[in-house]
Amino acid sequence: MPELVLELNGRTWALDPSRSYTLGRDPQGDVVIDDARVSWRHATLTWNGRSWVVTDHGSTNGTYARGLRVQQADLAPGEPVHLGNATDGPRLTVAAGATAADTGAYAGTAAPQPQPPAHGAQGAWQQGAAQSAAPAQAAPAAAPAAQPVPAQPPAPSDRQSGQWQQPAAPQGRVPHQQPPAQAAPYGEQPGPGGSGGPQGPGHGPGSPGGGAPGPAYGDRSPTTFHQVALGRVMRIGRALENELVVSDLQVSRHHAEFHATPDGRFEIRDLGSHNGTYVNGQPLAKSGTALIGAGDIVGVGHSTFRLVGDRLEEFVDTGEVSFSARHLTVTVDGGKQILRDVSFGVPEKSLVAVIGPSGSGKSTLLKALTGYRPANQGDVLYDNRNLYKQFAELRQRIGLVPQDDILHKELTVRTALKYAAKLRFPADTTAQEREARIDEVLRELKLDIHKDKKITALSGGQRKRVSVALELLTKPSLIFLDEPTSGLDPGMDRDVMQLLRGLADDGRTVLVVTHSVAELALCDKLLVMAPGGAVAYFGPPEEALNFFGYESWADVFSAFENYRDYDWAGRWKGSQHYQMYAADLDAQAPQPAQAAPVQPVRQPKPQGWGAQLLTLIRRYLSVIASDKGFMALMVILPAVLGVVSTLVSSDFGLRPGTRGPNGSAAVILLILAVGACFAGAANSVRELIKERVIYERERATGLSRSAYLMSKVIVLGLITVLQGAIIGGIGFGMRDLPEEGLVFGSSLVLLELTLPIMGLGFTAMMFGLIISSLVKTAEKTMPLLVMFAIIQVVFTGCLFFLHGQTGVNELSYLMPSRWAVAAAGATAQLNVLFPNQDDPTDTDPLWDHELGVWVFDMGILLALGVLCGLVVARLLRRHEPEVMRK
């Protein structure tokens, strides 16, 4: 029977065919592979009676056979299988009859290195048996006693007296084990907190200030090395023919090139990539170039490269990153602080919960941590990199699940994810690649059995899983969730928290803002916010109640409410818990460095403008088509409005042999104009507000604002113009019309009269978009819609004569109904049919029966619609990350 050989620097394993073996970074696994590209529980090896079979468990970076990603593969002699990367990932092969040099698990890395680190530092070069036997990280010998609350709050319970003993782990909860610390890169030493301990990342030269770039990944060792020869060009991309293959769907097939010039300089050139190439966190212009030197960091997707001598060090971000906030303070108008000096460090692969009473700044903190609303003071560090200064690059590695769903509920799960993947991945990804990633995420979240269901048909917990699935498409290292269990029953609450626990264990850092305290034991760390936006506690959740000296969280929150003026932050900073879990990080005050001025560059987008527009239009049409009631209303409403106008029985316009007024013509125009205004505005008045959360999230991931707006204008404009044709066709077509028109002569008078009604519906639709972009809730749209329609009635000119009314006439020029009625009135000779009762010789120049007047009226009507579009585009800027607006 052949034995399995794992080729990592010549190490081998002899495996028993009577059992299966787990592969991954989990120290409790059978074969421990300490490679950043390998998942925590990556795959399983089994003997099927004929050969060894490797089965992938939905790993992040995949398992590859013959260069293709596979779910299961036989390990045939001479055909290697790679883990985590199709070319240079850890390789599994079968060698028949070979003698094993070792048994047990060996943790290694694909990067060659001459010797293990000195001084016995545990890093990426540990012997298998030693690592397998390594004990879990020891807890402190004696946890601090609870801190007494001064006299103002109620006296704490008796639990506070004496020396507190660390409680046992909750039943059914396996303590989360951190992997051993890794060796520092060449010439660097770990900072006070290592790269992921409670104290946060080390204080490197480029950490908070953003001046010097500093370590690419804190104090983490490179994933692999690449030799750079002078005069050589090294191309980076997703395609296998590149010299540096990056297996990341956010990377273009041919993304960028490294040039080593003969004079010893090095240059990076973007190859027109979709998600961009970044130097020290700043985007290169598309197809632009930049000189790089020692210490500069080049970002391509989830990989970063750093030049060290004649070697290129590659760091693959697979989620094992630290995250910290330092001295975050947010001040609003009037100088009021709603977030006060918040500092905490999040270890890698951890689940952190943020709780606190209303008014404690939880939502403000979440916006500050994600870059949506940067803090006025302080820094957010993503593995020693300043998030605010390098947001353009790091935004691709952060997932955010708001409280509201971020998918169109009318679509099926698979269809919604398909459109999301189309928008977020580069244009050169194939449909098969996107489908494979969607299937992988659905399996990981156990949503594959619900993939063909409409999102509206799912339970609350399942809908939240779908929102998480959307964020997992791009493999973020950090995932933030805002109230994911809001409105869920206790069972679903537990399911969602267990899901987040699993996401953290699989190699991600998860931070969740929640009001639920039932499942806090699943978290690694707990951040408690006090009223006023200050930290009241940060540390293990099992020690929190003892710290406050209460038996339940209800008592803690009552104390917050009853003693809002008490200095909870001062009590926290004077405690032993603070010294253990936050003091070192808090002491590392940011020292901003003077960075070189950055030239303004348009931030790259995953798709070109046209591709985004086409995808958005197709998605919007799919949403409309899924709502049968709305489609029926789109046809019935204009038909009813057109029929109502026929109740006014009269000829419309002057015919040969007829002279004199015809007041019914003005009434007919009034009814048709109001119907077009109402139909157009009603189509759009809810569209932006109901998708605001979706837009905010997609905008942060690279959605074009103008493409989004144009998709609404095109689809809604087409619907509204067709509705205007129905209204005008019925309203004008059921009566005798003038025999001679101004534009189309005598053959198409009906079309000439209907065009102003169609244009009015379109412009009213654009006004509806303004209303939708201004309001904060959908409930406020209906009163504004009614007000808009009534104002249009007054300013049509059909109720009273507007010309000559100083102030009122000038104000009417802003109303689309004024110009639509004027254009139709010019064709119908409304100056004769509806003369000024006070002075019949005083005619309205906008109603003159002349071709130039008709063209002018229609031109102003459409110009108002274009102006509304510009206003909406400006208003949409308010609903995107503030750091992007700057």
Side-chain angles (χ1 to χ4, degrees):
M1 190 276 299
E3 74 178 33
L4 178 70
V5 178
L6 175 61
E7 289 192 331
L8 285 174
N9 302 299
R11 313 298 297 187
T12 60
W13 288 260
L15 304 182
D16 182 1
S18 63
R19 55 161 295 195
S20 61
Y21 294 81
T22 60
L23 288 75
R25 299 194 320 274
D26 186 357
Q28 304 302 317
D30 299 302
V31 179
V32 181
I33 306 174
D34 191 6
D35 189 294
R37 297 164 294 183
V38 176
S39 293
W40 191 252
R41 301 176 184 88
H42 194 103
T44 299
L45 287 169
T46 54
W47 174 257
N48 64 4
R50 296 178 293 103
S51 63
W52 285 99
V53 177
V54 58
T55 303
D56 190 277
H57 288 313
S59 61
T60 301
N61 291 316
T63 301
Y64 299 86
R66 299 181 183 177
L68 299 176
R69 186 163 184 166
V70 296
Q71 182 66 24
Q72 191 176 77
D74 292 338
L75 290 171
E79 294 185 359
V81 171
H82 292 271
L83 306 180
N85 189 284
T87 54
D88 61 352
R91 186 173 65 173
L92 302 176
T93 60
V94 168
T99 303
D102 245 337
T103 61
Y106 169 76
T109 177
Q113 188 151 330
Q115 300 182 37
H119 309 299
Q122 289 188 345
W125 298 86
Q126 298 167 339
Q127 297 298 328
Q131 182 178 3
S132 298
Q137 184 178 1
Q147 300 297 312
V149 181
Q152 299 94 319
S157 65
D158 295 337
R159 292 177 62 200
Q160 206 170 300
S161 59
Q163 187 70 19
W164 178 77
Q165 299 298 322
Q166 183 174 359
Q171 265 190 339
R173 165 84 167 91
V174 180
H176 177 58
Q177 300 191 17
Q178 298 288 348
Q182 295 194 347
Y186 297 103
E188 296 170 5
Q189 296 300 323
S195 67
Q199 293 82 10
H203 187 58
S207 44
Y217 279 103
D219 303 312
R220 190 160 291 114
S221 296
T223 304
T224 189
F225 303 94
H226 307 278
Q227 200 70 27
V228 181
L230 294 180
R232 181 185 175 192
V233 175
M234 299 179 67
R235 191 168 52 182
I236 308 172
R238 205 174 69 250
L240 295 177
E241 62 264 24
N242 293 289
E243 286 77 15
L244 300 180
V245 179
V246 179
S247 301
D248 182 353
L249 287 183
Q250 289 193 302
V251 175
S252 298
R253 295 185 63 82
H254 302 98
H255 196 102
E257 287 180 344
F258 272 108
H259 292 257
T261 60
D263 59 0
R265 297 190 302 171
F266 295 89
E267 183 181 75
I268 181 69
R269 173 179 300 164
D270 184 84
L271 298 179
S273 63
H274 296 279
N275 276 320
T277 304
Y278 301 84
V279 177
N280 299 328
Q282 303 303 321
L284 284 179
K286 185 164 282 193
S287 302
T289 62
L291 291 175
I292 60 172
D296 285 336
I297 298 172
V298 176
V300 175
H302 284 76
S303 295
T304 51
F305 300 87
R306 181 175 58 183
L307 192 65
V308 178
D310 59 350
R311 293 193 310 177
L312 203 61
E313 297 182 346
E314 180 181 0
F315 300 80
V316 179
D317 183 352
T318 59
E320 295 183 349
V321 297
S322 60
F323 183 78
S324 63
R326 297 186 181 178
H327 307 285
L328 297 183
T329 299
V330 174
T331 305
V332 294
D333 296 338
K336 179 182 178 182
Q337 289 186 346
I338 56 177
L339 205 66
R340 294 190 290 115
D341 196 27
V342 174
S343 298
F344 64 95
V346 179
E348 62 186 39
K349 293 188 302 184
S350 60
L351 174 60
V352 180
V354 180
I355 65 173
S358 299
S360 58
K362 300 188 299 297
S363 296
T364 303
L365 175 63
L366 188 64
K367 292 178 180 179
L369 295 177
T370 55
Y372 272 65
R373 201 291 189 191
N376 302 101
Q377 301 174 24
D379 297 303
V380 176
L381 302 183
Y382 178 102
D383 236 16
N384 248 19
R385 301 178 64 183
N386 192 300
L387 175 65
Y388 297 160
K389 291 181 172 60
Q390 303 185 21
F391 182 80
E393 176 185 358
L394 297 180
R395 67 177 180 176
Q396 303 175 23
R397 310 185 191 182
I398 295 176
L400 173 62
V401 181
Q403 185 172 348
D404 297 324
D405 293 327
I406 51 177
L407 289 165
H408 293 86
K409 300 177 184 179
E410 301 85 356
L411 302 178
T412 64
V413 172
R414 174 177 285 280
T415 302
L417 293 180
K418 180 185 72 173
Y419 285 120
K422 182 73 174 173
L423 288 172
R424 296 194 179 195
F425 289 139
D428 59 7
T429 55
T430 64
Q432 291 77 12
E433 288 176 312
R434 294 193 296 269
E435 291 287 341
R437 179 57 188 158
I438 291 171
D439 290 338
E440 182 181 350
V441 170
L442 291 176
R443 286 195 303 269
E444 181 179 0
L445 298 181
K446 298 180 176 60
L447 286 171
D448 46 344
I449 60 176
H450 304 294
K451 61 184 179 183
D452 295 321
K453 296 180 181 178
K454 284 190 175 182
I455 297 177
T456 51
L458 302 178
S459 66
Q462 290 167 346
R463 286 202 302 271
K464 192 58 63 177
R465 284 176 179 264
V466 177
S467 294
V468 174
L470 169 61
E471 294 302 314
L472 291 186
L473 288 175
T474 54
K475 300 182 180 180
S477 304
L478 292 171
I479 301 178
F480 296 88
L481 300 99
D482 187 11
E483 300 286 355
T485 61
S486 178
L488 301 183
D489 61 50
M492 290 184 179
D493 183 353
R494 175 178 296 177
D495 289 343
V496 171
M497 292 301 292
Q498 288 177 341
L499 165 68
L500 302 183
R501 177 71 263 169
L503 294 178
D505 289 339
D506 200 37
R508 306 174 183 92
T509 299
V510 182
L511 188 144
V512 53
V513 174
T514 181
H515 277 114
S516 174
V517 296
E519 304 297 333
L520 295 180
L522 292 172
C523 302
D524 298 295
K525 290 289 188 295
L526 175 65
L527 175 65
V528 182
M529 300 294 293
V535 176
Y537 173 82
F538 178 73
E542 60 268 20
E543 299 178 20
L545 285 176
N546 178 267
F547 171 82
F548 288 107
Y550 292 101
E551 295 290 343
S552 69
W553 283 108
D555 295 331
V556 175
F557 278 53
S558 294
F560 283 149
E561 180 63 29
N562 296 332
Y563 302 95
R564 299 184 70 90
D565 296 331
Y566 177 67
D567 187 9
W568 296 100
R571 178 177 182 271
W572 156 244
K573 291 189 175 182
S575 68
Q576 296 182 34
H577 281 79
Y578 172 80
Q579 298 298 325
M580 291 177 60
Y581 301 119
D584 291 345
L585 177 71
D586 226 7
Q588 297 173 15
Q591 299 295 329
Q594 291 296 326
V598 179
Q599 297 297 325
V601 177
R602 184 182 298 274
Q603 293 192 4
K605 298 177 174 60
Q607 303 275 331
W609 189 89
Q612 283 194 5
L613 176 62
L614 182 60
T615 301
L616 290 167
I617 289 176
R618 291 176 58 192
R619 183 178 70 178
Y620 194 21
L621 291 175
S622 297
V623 171
I624 292 175
S626 66
D627 190 345
K628 307 302 182 185
F630 178 71
M631 292 184 65
L633 186 63
M634 285 192 306
V635 178
I636 295 174
L637 176 63
V640 170
L641 293 174
V643 169
V644 167
S645 70
T646 63
L647 298 179
V648 182
S649 177
S650 176
D651 292 342
F652 190 83
L654 292 177
R655 298 175 59 82
T658 64
R659 293 289 185 269
N662 180 4
S664 297
V667 176
I668 294 169
L669 271 180
L670 175 64
I671 294 173
L672 296 179
V674 172
C677 282
F678 185 81
N683 285 337
S684 61
V685 76
R686 288 177 176 264
E687 284 306 310
L688 299 183
I689 180 61
K690 75 179 184 181
E691 290 187 0
R692 181 162 297 172
V693 176
I694 298 175
Y695 171 75
E696 289 177 351
R697 184 65 197 121
E698 290 182 341
R699 179 71 178 128
T701 60
L703 178 70
S704 167
R705 183 194 314 127
S706 58
Y708 175 78
L709 178 57
M710 281 303 300
S711 70
K712 297 295 184 186
V713 172
I714 290 173
V715 176
L716 291 175
L718 179 61
I719 293 172
T720 305
V721 166
L722 291 176
Q723 289 178 328
I726 295 173
I727 295 174
I730 296 175
F732 292 124
M734 302 294 289
R735 61 188 78 250
D736 292 332
L737 301 177
E739 292 186 351
E740 192 69 28
L742 294 171
V743 182
F744 303 108
S746 61
S747 57
L748 295 173
V749 176
L750 175 61
L751 175 61
E752 185 176 321
L753 288 169
T754 304
L755 282 177
I757 302 301
M758 297 164 65
L760 175 58
F762 177 83
T763 304
M765 181 273 296
M766 299 300 295
F767 270 92
L769 288 178
I770 291 181
I771 295 173
S772 190
S773 63
L774 283 172
V775 297
K776 294 184 178 180
T777 61
E779 290 75 16
K780 295 180 180 179
T781 59
M782 297 313 295
L784 294 175
L785 172 62
V786 173
M787 182 181 70
F788 171 74
I790 292 176
I791 291 176
Q792 299 310 305
V793 171
V794 174
F795 288 99
T796 56
C798 298
L799 293 180
F800 59 91
F801 203 68
L802 289 172
H803 179 64
Q805 301 286 336
T806 304
V808 177
N809 188 39
E810 286 74 19
L811 182 61
S812 71
Y813 294 159
L814 299 176
M815 307 302 164
S817 62
R818 170 77 158 115
W819 300 100
V821 169
T827 299
Q829 300 189 47
L830 201 57
N831 273 326
V832 178
L833 296 174
F834 187 62
N836 187 350
Q837 299 296 325
D838 298 329
D839 184 4
T841 62
D842 184 17
T843 60
D844 191 335
L846 298 182
W847 294 356
D848 288 345
H849 187 63
E850 298 176 5
L851 175 61
V853 172
W854 189 93
V855 172
F856 178 75
D857 292 339
M858 287 296 296
I860 297 298
L861 176 62
L862 297 179
L864 284 176
V866 174
L867 179 62
C868 289
L870 297 176
V871 173
V872 175
R874 185 69 180 177
L875 292 174
L876 280 175
R877 293 183 72 252
R878 303 183 309 160
H879 308 300
E880 58 191 43
E882 185 175 320
V883 70
M884 294 179 69
R885 301 201 297 268
K886 294 182 179 180

